[in-house]
Amino acid sequence: MAAAESPLPPAAPAPPGGAAGPPKALLAALAAGLAAAGHPLLYVKLLVQVGHEPLPPTVGRNVLGRKVLYLPGFFTYARHIVEVDGKRGLFRGLTPRLISSTLSTITRGSVKKAFPLEDMEHVSNKDDVKTSLRKVVKETSHEMMMQCMSRVVSHPLHVISMRCMVQFIGREVKYSGVFSAIGRILKEEGILGFFVGLVPHILGDFIFLWCCNLLAHFISTYAVDDNFSQASVIRSYTKFVIGIAVSMLTYPFLLVGDLMAVNNCGLRAGLPPYAPAFTSWIHCWRHLSAQGQLFRGSSLLFRRAPIPAARFPID
């Protein structure tokens, strides 16, 4: 899940002559480049989320020096993908992901334009507690509206991207292109097929944004003295740290949403033994909870094998 954006200051007026176009295009290209560079990480993470473990665990030691079994980390897993599909294989599903990211960015920009931030009241150190809380609630509601709309618009391409990536498991070619994937989902699942897994994603976004903004507000109000010279710096770091902590707590919503996107869609990754055919995202949540797997894939380094070490000859 992406970290929440902090309220932005009013945009500076464009210079005469309308020369604001190229910088925006450059920023869009940079964002696409960063998404492409980070795609292998997301790809490996998704394969781990669905429970695909093609490599055996290895023996290692924990901080106490005890022998434990570790599953392959990101670099070992990525090397395996390269051995199977070549280096280009690390970018499976990238095209629909870039389209999804672009749609999300355009949607957020459109909402900001329709409801400009300069019309919002920003929190000031001079505000009393009731006034500042009212402003935080108003800003968070505005932020949540942008996030919900961008999530709804971009989710269909997110579903396609997820399904393209998990085809690695069963070596399928069912979703070989964006347009053919759109036609196949419409034919087999109808319009609702584009929005499987949307609800847990939006719930995760809702909890993340409100927890981050309200916790940061209360800590900044009651725990940080305005007379302290570095108060503004501490407030900035406070929201950053809170964002990391809350993102871990809301991770199960991200996991469930991604699993629902590929569940029972005709791909091996969405069928037993990887997962039963879930009737709803709540069914998926309960299944993962019963197995103690609600945080599966949250870490790609030092992944301990879920099977008890006693079942493996580690001596």
Side-chain angles (χ1 to χ4, degrees):
M1 181 176 301
E5 294 180 359
S6 58
L8 300 174
K24 290 182 180 180
L26 181 62
L27 288 175
L30 179 60
L34 291 175
H39 188 75
L41 182 65
L42 182 143
Y43 183 20
V44 171
K45 187 183 189 73
L46 178 63
L47 295 181
V48 172
Q49 284 179 329
V50 299
H52 183 55
E53 298 293 350
L55 302 174
T58 57
V59 179
R61 294 184 182 274
N62 60 16
V63 293
L64 300 177
R66 297 181 60 183
K67 288 184 178 181
V68 293
L69 287 174
Y70 286 105
L71 292 169
F74 165 73
F75 295 104
T76 304
Y77 209 125
R79 193 181 309 120
H80 169 72
I81 294 175
V82 172
E83 290 173 353
V84 175
D85 279 348
K87 292 182 179 179
R88 291 184 60 183
L90 288 172
F91 299 92
R92 183 193 292 260
L94 176 61
T95 299
R97 184 188 169 212
L98 290 179
I99 299 174
S100 174
S101 177
T102 302
L103 288 174
S104 177
T105 301
I106 293 173
T107 303
R108 291 182 69 91
S110 299
V111 174
K112 284 183 179 181
K113 189 174 182 180
F115 305 95
L117 284 173
E118 53 262 29
D119 292 343
M120 304 293 292
E121 299 178 272
H122 294 288
V123 178
S124 169
N125 293 336
K126 298 179 181 179
D127 295 329
D128 57 42
V129 174
K130 181 180 291 187
T131 301
S132 63
L133 180 59
R134 177 179 59 82
K135 290 182 179 180
V136 169
V137 170
K138 194 173 183 179
E139 290 178 359
T140 305
S141 299
H142 179 267
E143 199 171 353
M144 191 64 225
M145 176 179 61
M146 289 193 300
Q147 182 63 24
C148 282
M149 293 185 70
S150 65
R151 178 72 75 178
V152 170
V153 171
S154 63
H155 193 75
L157 273 298
H158 174 77
V159 170
I160 294 174
S161 178
M162 298 291 103
R163 294 184 180 184
C164 287
M165 285 188 272
V166 298
Q167 288 184 136
F168 172 83
I169 297 173
R171 313 308 298 163
E172 299 106 335
V173 291
K174 184 177 180 179
Y175 298 92
S176 56
V178 174
F179 294 108
S180 62
I182 291 174
R184 184 175 288 277
I185 293 175
L186 278 174
K187 181 180 179 181
E188 297 181 356
E189 304 172 54
I191 193 70
L192 294 180
F194 292 108
F195 298 97
V196 287
L198 176 63
V199 172
H201 274 298
I202 289 182
L203 285 176
D205 292 340
F206 180 88
I207 296 171
F208 178 85
L209 284 172
W210 282 98
C211 285
C212 279
N213 289 355
L214 290 177
L215 284 174
H217 168 70
F218 287 124
I219 291 176
S220 297
T221 301
Y222 296 105
V224 180
D225 190 348
D226 288 335
N227 296 323
F228 184 58
S229 60
Q230 300 296 323
S232 60
V233 176
I234 292 178
R235 287 191 175 97
S236 298
Y237 279 111
T238 295
K239 192 164 187 178
F240 175 74
V241 173
I242 289 175
I244 295 176
V246 176
S247 66
M248 288 301 299
L249 293 177
T250 57
Y251 177 81
F253 290 96
L254 172 67
L255 173 62
V256 171
D258 287 348
L259 292 184
M260 290 302 297
V262 302
N263 186 250
N264 199 25
C265 65
L267 299 177
R268 184 180 175 189
L271 298 170
Y274 290 97
F278 298 120
T279 56
S280 68
W281 70 269
I282 297 177
H283 179 199
C284 178
W285 183 292
R286 289 174 176 171
H287 174 77
L288 292 172
S289 178
Q291 293 187 333
Q293 295 288 303
L294 277 175
F295 291 89
R296 185 170 65 197
S298 60
S299 174
L300 295 180
L301 298 174
F302 307 109
R303 299 192 302 126
R304 292 190 61 174
I307 303 176
R311 293 180 59 181
F312 292 87
I314 62 176
D315 290 326

